[in-house]
Amino acid sequence: MSHSPFNMNLNEYMDVTLVKSLGIRQITEQIYVGSCIQKESHVEMLSDAGITAVVNFQTGVEAENWRNNANLINESHRRWQKVEVLSLRSQVQASHNAKRSPVFKWRRVEGRALYKKKIINESCQRFNILMINYPIREGDSFHMRKRLPFCVGLLLRLLKKNHKVYVTCTTGFDRSPACVVAYLHWMTDTSLHAAYNIVTGLHSCKPYRSAIAWATWDLIAMVENGAHDGPATHAVTFVWNGHKGEDVYLVGDFTGNWKEPIQAVHKVGPRFEAEVRLSPGKYLYKYIICGNWRHSTNSPTERDERGSLNNVIVVGDVASVRPLIPQQKKDANIMKVIERPLTENERFMLAKAARCVAFSICPIKLAPK
């Protein structure tokens, strides 16, 4: 699949009005990205441009608040009902078998966001465009990270069915381009740096780069079975809040099996830090404070097989098609993903995992409903 810059003379492919209203850009021969569909006329223009499937990450809350809902309602005529209401006088007249004059009020049949979704879906069906909604919370990098494997797997399935896919969220600024960047990175053996530059060079956006990097290691962990073969993947800053002048060391099963303590550096006030690079997995650790072994009350704890209470940290996670989104535990430590070129083995594992995810998304009826 060619990733060369797209010919910016979009008039050859689609109505210029569509480009202006949705900010749509073509990334590959089959992938387009842009903001959410706001009107029925947009669906017709997408159809004219050859789009056969839409993957939408917009949430219901965003749809309710989206400023163009009013335009949508106006375009498709307000669906209001005349509801007959009996005034007090009418009720009295009715009780006396008198002929009553009906009094009307206007009532909106459906909520704005619900109505918008309904008419857009109906319009997609008329133009034989498959519409798939998979909500991802705006501004939530962790939610994006957990749901990204499914998104990319779904995109691959659609492309394998020869669909031309329009990937969208509310503004087309973060979630939808992140999905496309991840697809290029995972499925076409393109580095994250290169994939990011391809998409941002063709479309004005800021994809969740850190979410993609996190999800990449989650995918690799899915097929490594807990044994990472390669350099470290995450940088963890262990934090101890004590007293100035203390002698602080970090020790754990990752420091030479508890035998090689790492001295923490005093930063400011009561804060001491020790940075360690680790691969995915669960690790136990403690602090040695002026010769005394202690655990931090600001980070999660767990007892080992001997009953000793230690701090515990889980580095990375394992990707899933149907991820549970747990509430993140409070932890004084700071964990960052390391973005680096993948080794040949890691690239192989990534490709294997990404395709396992894609072809486990089944059954999905890839046809308009």
Side-chain angles (χ1 to χ4, degrees):
M1 185 177 293
S2 175
H3 298 146
S4 59
F6 175 58
N7 180 357
M8 296 309 292
N9 184 15
L10 298 175
N11 291 323
E12 297 178 10
Y13 299 89
M14 61 192 75
D15 194 305
V16 69
T17 304
L18 180 60
V19 177
K20 290 181 178 179
S21 55
L22 294 183
I24 185 171
R25 291 292 183 271
Q26 186 176 14
I27 306 302
T28 72
E29 184 180 349
Q30 291 178 267
I31 301 175
Y32 298 73
V33 67
S35 62
C36 67
I37 301 172
Q38 304 160 28
K39 307 176 183 180
E40 287 179 284
S41 57
H42 289 165
V43 178
E44 183 176 1
M45 287 188 284
L46 285 173
S47 178
D48 291 342
I51 303 297
T52 59
V54 175
V55 178
N56 177 32
F57 302 133
Q58 188 181 43
T59 65
V61 173
E62 291 174 88
E64 181 68 35
N65 295 331
W66 186 235
R67 64 181 180 273
N68 285 319
N69 276 345
N71 294 335
L72 175 78
I73 301 299
N74 290 332
E75 179 193 42
S76 304
H77 310 295
R78 296 178 185 272
R79 288 194 178 181
W80 298 72
Q81 283 182 338
K82 268 186 175 181
V83 181
E84 190 176 327
V85 180
L86 296 178
S87 66
L88 180 60
R89 184 181 61 155
S90 300
Q91 293 179 42
V92 172
Q93 288 175 338
S95 67
H96 289 87
N97 295 322
K99 185 178 180 180
R100 58 185 174 83
S101 299
V103 179
F104 295 97
K105 72 176 181 180
W106 291 100
R107 182 182 69 188
R108 187 163 59 184
V109 177
E110 297 168 289
R112 180 175 291 176
L114 188 62
Y115 175 50
K116 172 183 177 179
K117 181 179 178 181
K118 180 178 179 180
I119 65 171
I120 292 296
N121 287 344
E122 288 174 352
S123 185
C124 286
Q125 186 175 14
R126 286 198 305 273
F127 287 98
N128 203 34
I129 294 177
L130 172 64
M131 166 66 81
I132 299 175
N133 296 293
Y134 190 62
I136 298 175
R137 291 192 292 267
E138 184 179 24
D140 191 334
S141 180
F142 182 70
H143 199 243
M144 180 84 228
R145 164 194 171 188
K146 301 299 288 184
R147 292 202 159 198
L148 198 53
F150 180 93
C151 299
V152 174
L154 176 60
L155 180 57
L156 177 64
R157 291 293 300 275
L158 292 169
L159 297 176
K160 290 289 185 181
K161 292 288 184 177
N162 294 319
H163 281 281
K164 279 192 174 182
V165 187
Y166 181 51
V167 188
T168 180
C169 51
T170 298
T171 61
F173 185 71
D174 42 33
R175 289 157 291 175
S176 51
C179 175
V180 177
V181 171
Y183 168 81
L184 295 177
H185 180 36
W186 299 349
M187 300 298 186
T188 68
D189 197 24
T190 304
S191 72
L192 176 54
H193 180 72
Y196 188 91
N197 287 343
I198 288 170
V199 175
T200 56
L202 295 172
H203 176 59
S204 180
C205 60
K206 191 174 182 180
Y208 289 134
R209 186 164 179 154
S210 63
I212 301 167
W214 276 96
T216 298
W217 295 122
D218 292 347
L219 263 180
I220 292 174
M222 188 180 76
V223 292
E224 284 188 324
N225 298 319
H228 179 69
D229 181 18
T233 59
H234 298 74
V236 183
T237 301
F238 291 88
V239 178
W240 172 263
N241 290 305
H243 302 283
K244 186 176 180 179
E246 286 181 331
D247 200 17
V248 180
Y249 286 85
L250 170 70
V251 62
D253 51 13
F254 52 86
T255 63
N257 196 25
W258 301 90
K259 298 176 181 178
E260 301 173 8
I262 300 172
Q263 186 168 16
V265 178
H266 178 250
K267 292 297 182 179
V268 61
R271 186 182 181 91
F272 293 80
E273 295 181 358
E275 183 174 307
V276 181
R277 294 195 162 204
L278 298 171
S279 295
K282 185 174 80 170
Y283 301 92
L284 300 177
Y285 66 96
K286 275 188 171 180
Y287 295 93
I288 302 176
I289 313 300
C290 299
N292 299 312
W293 289 55
R294 297 172 59 182
H295 69 273
S296 171
T297 57
N298 296 320
S299 298
T301 57
E302 181 177 295
R303 292 192 181 276
D304 60 23
E305 64 275 6
R306 294 173 295 184
S308 299
L309 188 63
N310 303 294
N311 287 117
V312 61
I313 188 168
V314 177
V315 176
D317 201 352
V318 178
S320 172
V321 174
R322 295 176 178 82
L324 297 175
I325 313 295
Q327 186 175 0
Q328 292 178 283
K329 297 179 180 179
K330 292 184 179 179
D331 195 338
N333 301 325
I334 302 168
M335 193 183 310
K336 296 181 180 179
V337 68
I338 299 173
E339 186 183 318
R340 59 166 174 77
L342 303 183
T343 66
E344 184 175 351
N345 183 65
E346 288 168 345
R347 288 162 54 198
F348 172 78
M349 292 293 186
L350 177 60
K352 177 182 177 181
R355 281 160 176 76
C356 284
V357 168
F359 291 102
S360 66
I361 300 175
C362 183
I364 288 181
K365 185 178 179 182
L366 298 180
K369 295 183 178 179

